[in-house]
Amino acid sequence: MLGEKAGLTFPLLSDPEEKVIRPYDLLHIRGGPKGTNIARPAEFLIDSAGTVRWVNLTDDVTVRARGDELVRAADRLGLGPRP
């Protein structure tokens, strides 16, 4: 898995069936190519207790947090790789 290859101690998740995207109001209806639905870019870091510790949201579907930003945020929160 991508997260394991990067040395992360937490899973990276996706929501292709929109089970979380819809309840969290992260769906741009007809906002994608040719009027398709597209997810609003959103990244969350959630600790092992299920607490959301970091959030990055944007209304611009072309902007997302970079991988290095996620890793730095995880490190700052003590959620990064362990030596």
Side-chain angles (χ1 to χ4, degrees):
M1 295 183 73
L2 177 64
E4 291 170 352
K5 289 180 183 178
L8 303 178
T9 59
F10 51 86
L12 298 175
L13 306 175
S14 182
D15 187 20
E17 296 176 8
E18 302 171 0
K19 291 180 180 180
V20 175
I21 292 168
R22 286 182 182 274
Y24 283 86
D25 195 27
L26 298 173
L27 190 66
H28 283 280
I29 303 296
R30 295 181 299 281
K34 299 182 182 180
T36 58
N37 293 342
I38 189 168
R40 175 182 174 199
E43 296 87 21
F44 301 87
L45 291 178
I46 303 168
D47 67 18
S48 61
T51 302
V52 175
R53 302 280 306 277
W54 182 85
V55 177
N56 182 61
L57 301 174
T58 178
D59 286 324
D60 184 340
V61 298
T62 65
V63 176
R64 289 173 168 68
R66 295 185 325 264
D68 62 314
E69 292 174 311
L70 291 168
V71 170
R72 278 196 314 272
D75 285 343
R76 281 193 311 272
L77 296 168
L79 302 173
R82 294 186 178 98

